Amino acid sequence: MVVRLHPGDARALAPVLADLEAAICESLDAACTAAGLRPFAPWQLAFVPSAACEPGQPVIRADFHDPAAPASVATVRETVRLRRLEGLRLRLAGGAAVPLTHTPFVLGRGADCDLVVPDLTVSRRHAEIRHGPGGGLEIRDLGSRNGTFVNGERVAAAPVAPGDTLALGAAELRLEAAP
């Protein structure tokens, strides 16, 4: 487990990091015991200073694997903080509406997407809707082959709001407020 801390927090916590590591490992062992699980190896923790972290907001990346197991081809990604949404939905051109429940919300043809769009002009991971820098929503193309469009204009990233028409390749969707 890697715990990234703001550099100021890392300096302030330096005298107690060994005790903190021991307490975290003890808590993890207790949680495993309570759940009837047995860890397959000792817990490994690393505290890393990172300027990308906000003061008081550590970022934790946990990787659970059996060191004796064969290597996996699965990719390990950084943890993404989901932000809940209410009252928005995406309406497909065919009429079906899908609630936009959180951001980032990945759109594409792949089974691991939040909204699977079964169209061959749509890339496996085509685009994502996320919170933009100004607090509103934006759509961001994820390197798709056939492009992402907002109201007919091709974009790499652009703000979106209810009423906008989105196109992923040839598939059209409309962002709308739920009634």
Side-chain angles (χ1 to χ4, degrees), residues 1-2 32 133 144 177-178:
M1 181 180 320
V2 176
C32 284
S144 69

Short mmCIF file of all heavy atoms in Angstrom, two decimals, residues 1-2 32 133 144 177-178:
data_model
loop_
_atom_site.label_atom_id
_atom_site.label_comp_id
_atom_site.label_asym_id
_atom_site.label_seq_id
_atom_site.Cartn_x
_atom_site.Cartn_y
_atom_site.Cartn_z
N MET A 1 0.86 -1.16 0.00
CA MET A 1 0.00 0.00 0.00
C MET A 1 0.91 1.22 0.00
O MET A 1 1.87 1.29 0.76
CB MET A 1 -0.89 -0.01 1.24
CG MET A 1 -1.83 1.15 1.31
SD MET A 1 -2.92 1.20 2.77
CE MET A 1 -3.39 -0.47 3.00
N VAL A 2 0.60 2.18 -0.88
CA VAL A 2 1.35 3.42 -0.94
C VAL A 2 0.44 4.54 -0.46
O VAL A 2 -0.68 4.70 -0.94
CB VAL A 2 1.83 3.71 -2.38
CG1 VAL A 2 2.53 5.05 -2.45
CG2 VAL A 2 2.75 2.60 -2.87
N CYS A 32 -9.28 -8.47 8.74
CA CYS A 32 -9.23 -9.78 8.07
C CYS A 32 -9.77 -10.87 8.99
O CYS A 32 -10.57 -11.71 8.57
CB CYS A 32 -7.80 -10.11 7.64
SG CYS A 32 -7.27 -9.20 6.19
N PRO A 133 -12.77 22.13 -14.50
CA PRO A 133 -12.06 23.04 -13.61
C PRO A 133 -12.97 24.09 -12.96
O PRO A 133 -12.74 24.50 -11.84
CB PRO A 133 -11.03 23.71 -14.51
CG PRO A 133 -11.05 22.99 -15.81
CD PRO A 133 -12.27 22.13 -15.85
N SER A 144 -10.10 8.58 -28.86
CA SER A 144 -10.94 7.75 -29.73
C SER A 144 -10.53 7.91 -31.19
O SER A 144 -9.93 8.91 -31.58
CB SER A 144 -12.40 8.15 -29.57
OG SER A 144 -12.61 9.44 -30.10
N ALA A 177 -31.65 17.04 -17.95
CA ALA A 177 -32.00 17.03 -16.53
C ALA A 177 -33.18 16.08 -16.35
O ALA A 177 -34.10 16.07 -17.16
CB ALA A 177 -32.38 18.43 -16.06
N ALA A 178 -33.13 15.27 -15.31
CA ALA A 178 -34.22 14.34 -15.05
C ALA A 178 -35.44 15.14 -14.58
O ALA A 178 -35.30 16.14 -13.89
CB ALA A 178 -33.81 13.32 -14.00
#
